[in-house]
Amino acid sequence: MEGPGEAPGPQPPHPEDHRIRDGDFVVLKREDVFKAVQVQRRKKVTFEKQWFYLDNIIGHSYGTTFEVTNGGSLQPKKKKEEPTSETKEAGTDNRNIIDDGKSQKLTQDDIKALKDKGIKGEEIVQQLIENSTTFRDKTEFAQDKYIKKKKKKYEAIITVVKPSTRILSIMYYAREPGKINHMRYDTLAQMLTLGNIRAGNKMIVMETCAGLVLGAMMERMGGFGSIIQLYPGGGPVRAATACFGFPKSFLSGLYEFPLNKVDSLLNGTFSAEMLSSEPKDSASVEESNGTLEEKQTSEQEKEDSVAEAQESHHPQEQETMEIVSQDPEYKEPKERGSKKDYIQEKQRRQEEQRKRHLEAAALLSERNADGLIVASRFHPTPLLLTLLDFVAPSRPFVVYCQYKEPLLECYTKLRERGGVINLRLSETWLRNYQVLPDRSHPKLLMSGGGGYLLSGFTVAMDNLKADPSLKSNASTLELHKTEEPAAKKRKCPESDS
């Protein structure tokens, strides 16, 4: 039983939480391709050269597989039992098969006519098999590969899954690795483990990975504890964080603080008036400082990802999307009517943001954070040496960088500075395997690298300076080191040749 002063524990999941609702963020999966979108009625979604509407997925459970039908409608796909009694006719080898492009009797016009008639993808694949002159001469493995290839092309089968750290990290690494500094999913998992991310912690994070690291930390902490995010420019980029679809209660423990005010906080010169001097339009400043790579992306990439809705070229649209994710009662300026109401609403939001900055400054001033995570495109050495002052002793810190050389310099500076132990610079080697009957082997294509990690623990540095007895013991130890016995200094006798 809980006492009167104890906080209530997490509630058991409600059955409705496993149902897709209007406004939820979901991930569409087709084969090994993922895409994060927000469920909205009558919203046209384009995914893998297929367009459809998400109206029919509302009310279904996560993990349901749908098939795209005529008119862009999604219908739940019924599982069909494959007949096991039939024996496939297959050849012994493929050496006599000549790929001259004449083995398929159906032309592209014939396939297009079948699509116009409304014939499903399964039937089109079956007709392709029947009209292939070389299909029966192929081996059984080659036949399975052929069928899988044609199904991927003509069958529009989409599975709707719930967003998670694993799925979103795989999606970003496969589609837009530059936005997450080429951080591989196994590297992110190691960061969460080495950083001891758990519920109830007070964490500091500095990342420029579109909010993916922040979202992973929030998911693991489960809404318990606090996270202070340090951001460059005019505002934090949380495109990937929004894809998680966290409830509003998770945002209560999330704080943000500008990186350019950290030095004044350490020097004791920080004041509330310094926040009022910041630029009013944070979205435009963010566009000019922190999202240069987004401007270089093509229009197709912007259409294919939900992240671009918050990182587009229109500052007003970006600011609007950020407000919608935090305040569901927010309305567009046109719907609210007068411009005066819009200005008042903007001032109210700026004042609320200012209060959150002051709360974050108070949390940082305590200098008792339980951990530090750094994963940015900036040089890690000045960041880490500055932010370590906010971390309590005997706490972990993890630094990610795409390249090894900056972390080597950071490693050297930390050894010279002191106050850290168990420093470790590591790189993970990852290779995927295909596991199939009689066909298990490493995949030929693999990632070249997932980045490097520098991890360690903080220790108190002022104990040695404060205790004079420790100083005397240290000086005595140094004296013993300098006065070594003569036997240890004796040279080896030269042998007569």
Side-chain angles (χ1 to χ4, degrees):
M1 296 181 63
E2 295 181 356
E6 296 180 0
Q11 299 295 326
H14 195 269
E16 291 296 327
D17 294 341
H18 301 288
R19 300 280 181 179
I20 304 171
R21 294 170 295 183
D22 189 11
D24 287 353
F25 282 91
V26 299
V27 176
L28 307 178
K29 178 179 180 294
R30 184 175 178 184
E31 296 292 335
D32 296 330
V33 183
F34 298 90
K35 179 182 179 181
V37 296
Q38 187 178 15
V39 179
Q40 294 179 356
R41 297 184 183 273
R42 302 308 301 168
K43 178 184 177 182
K44 189 175 181 179
V45 177
T46 304
F47 179 46
E48 288 291 288
K49 300 181 181 180
Q50 291 280 342
W51 65 269
F52 46 85
Y53 298 96
L54 300 177
D55 299 48
N56 292 344
I57 72 173
I58 298 176
H60 288 275
S61 301
Y62 284 100
T64 306
T65 302
F66 298 88
E67 184 176 6
V68 181
T69 58
N70 292 334
S73 178
L74 291 179
Q75 299 297 333
K77 182 176 175 58
K78 298 180 181 179
K79 294 184 179 179
K80 295 182 179 181
E81 297 182 357
E82 297 182 359
T84 57
S85 58
E86 297 182 1
T87 58
K88 294 182 179 180
E89 182 181 352
T92 55
D93 57 51
N94 300 327
R95 73 178 72 183
N96 296 323
I97 299 177
I98 300 175
D99 188 11
D100 55 359
K102 301 178 181 179
S103 59
Q104 182 56 246
K105 298 178 181 178
L106 291 180
T107 62
Q108 290 294 331
D109 296 336
D110 297 334
I111 297 174
K112 185 178 180 181
L114 294 175
K115 288 183 178 180
D116 295 339
K117 292 180 181 179
I119 297 178
K120 294 184 178 180
E122 295 179 0
E123 300 177 4
I124 295 177
V125 173
Q126 187 62 33
Q127 292 199 26
L128 288 172
I129 294 173
E130 294 175 356
N131 288 274
S132 176
T133 58
T134 59
F135 180 80
R136 291 174 179 80
D137 298 332
K138 295 181 179 181
T139 62
E140 184 179 353
F141 296 151
Q143 289 180 356
D144 293 339
K145 189 175 181 180
Y146 178 85
I147 294 174
K148 183 179 179 181
K149 180 180 178 181
K150 296 305 178 183
K151 281 185 176 181
K152 183 179 180 180
K153 185 175 182 180
Y154 296 105
E155 287 189 10
I157 307 299
I158 295 170
T159 304
V160 182
V161 296
K162 196 175 182 65
S164 65
T165 300
R166 179 183 63 85
I167 292 175
L168 291 178
S169 59
I170 292 175
M171 180 192 75
Y172 266 94
Y173 188 76
R175 296 172 67 91
E176 299 164 321
K179 289 191 175 181
I180 59 173
N181 299 330
H182 294 266
M183 178 190 296
R184 207 168 49 204
Y185 34 90
D186 61 305
T187 307
L188 177 58
Q190 288 192 65
M191 289 182 62
L192 299 177
T193 303
L194 294 173
N196 193 27
I197 312 299
R198 57 186 176 86
N201 273 8
K202 177 182 175 181
M203 302 298 301
I204 300 176
V205 58
M206 164 56 196
E207 60 116 313
T208 56
C209 299
L212 180 63
V213 178
L214 174 64
M217 296 171 63
M218 294 175 64
E219 183 189 62
R220 179 163 288 200
M221 295 176 67
F224 297 94
S226 58
I227 302 178
I228 302 108
Q229 181 187 11
L230 303 174
Y231 61 88
V237 179
R238 296 174 181 170
T241 309
C243 296
F244 283 86
F246 292 125
K248 197 173 182 180
S249 59
F250 278 48
L251 301 177
S252 59
L254 177 59
Y255 303 89
E256 56 196 44
F257 192 77
L259 189 62
N260 56 3
K261 300 294 188 297
V262 170
D263 288 337
S264 61
L265 194 62
L266 287 172
N267 299 332
T269 59
F270 177 78
S271 61
E273 288 75 14
M274 298 178 65
L275 294 175
S276 60
S277 62
E278 291 185 354
K280 298 298 181 183
D281 193 356
S282 60
S284 60
V285 180
E286 178 182 337
E287 281 293 321
S288 61
N289 287 276
T291 56
L292 295 179
E293 57 266 18
E294 281 80 353
K295 293 183 179 181
Q296 299 174 359
T297 56
S298 62
E299 295 297 329
Q300 183 64 29
E301 289 176 339
K302 293 178 182 178
E303 183 182 357
D304 287 348
S305 176
V306 71
E308 286 73 11
Q310 294 183 340
E311 298 176 350
S312 62
H313 293 289
H314 307 286
Q316 184 61 43
E317 181 183 353
Q318 179 178 3
E319 184 178 6
T320 303
M321 290 297 296
E322 184 177 353
I323 297 165
V324 170
S325 63
Q326 298 180 2
D327 188 2
E329 297 180 358
Y330 173 79
K331 296 181 180 180
E332 294 288 339
K334 295 180 181 179
E335 298 179 2
R336 286 179 302 188
S338 65
K339 186 178 181 180
K340 183 179 179 181
D341 295 338
Y342 169 68
I343 295 176
Q344 292 178 354
E345 178 69 16
K346 188 175 181 179
Q347 291 176 351
R348 182 190 67 82
R349 288 186 280 104
Q350 290 178 351
E351 183 64 25
E352 183 179 352
Q353 185 183 27
R354 183 170 171 271
K355 290 181 180 179
R356 297 290 289 179
H357 284 174
L358 293 176
E359 293 175 0
L363 290 175
L364 289 173
S365 299
E366 296 174 359
R367 302 196 180 190
N368 60 350
D370 293 318
L372 171 65
I373 304 293
V374 178
S376 71
R377 63 178 181 271
F378 305 112
H379 201 289
T381 302
L383 286 174
L384 184 60
L385 295 180
T386 302
L387 299 180
L388 276 179
D389 293 335
F390 297 111
V391 184
S394 188
R395 298 297 192 275
F397 63 90
V398 186
V399 185
Y400 166 81
C401 188
Q402 183 182 353
Y403 309 103
K404 179 173 60 175
E405 288 76 15
L407 290 183
L408 286 174
E409 180 182 345
C410 191
Y411 180 93
T412 305
K413 295 292 184 182
L414 285 176
R415 292 297 297 268
E416 295 175 356
R417 170 186 179 272
V420 294
I421 59 171
N422 199 22
L423 280 180
R424 181 185 177 190
L425 180 59
S426 61
E427 179 194 19
T428 307
W429 188 77
L430 177 71
R431 186 164 191 174
N432 294 324
Y433 279 74
Q434 171 184 288
V435 181
L436 290 172
D438 300 328
R439 287 171 289 170
S440 295
H441 59 78
K443 290 188 177 180
L444 299 178
L445 299 179
M446 57 176 289
S447 61
Y452 299 84
L453 291 179
L454 177 64
S455 60
F457 290 87
T458 58
V459 292
M461 291 193 302
D462 54 349
N463 292 338
L464 186 61
K465 301 177 182 178
D467 195 346
S469 62
L470 292 177
K471 280 186 176 182
S472 60
N473 293 338
S475 60
T476 306
L477 182 61
E478 291 295 330
L479 184 62
H480 284 305
K481 285 184 177 180
T482 55
E483 296 180 358
E484 291 184 356
K488 293 186 177 180
K489 298 181 180 180
R490 186 175 55 189
K491 295 183 178 180
C492 296
E494 296 181 359
S495 59
D496 298 333
S497 56

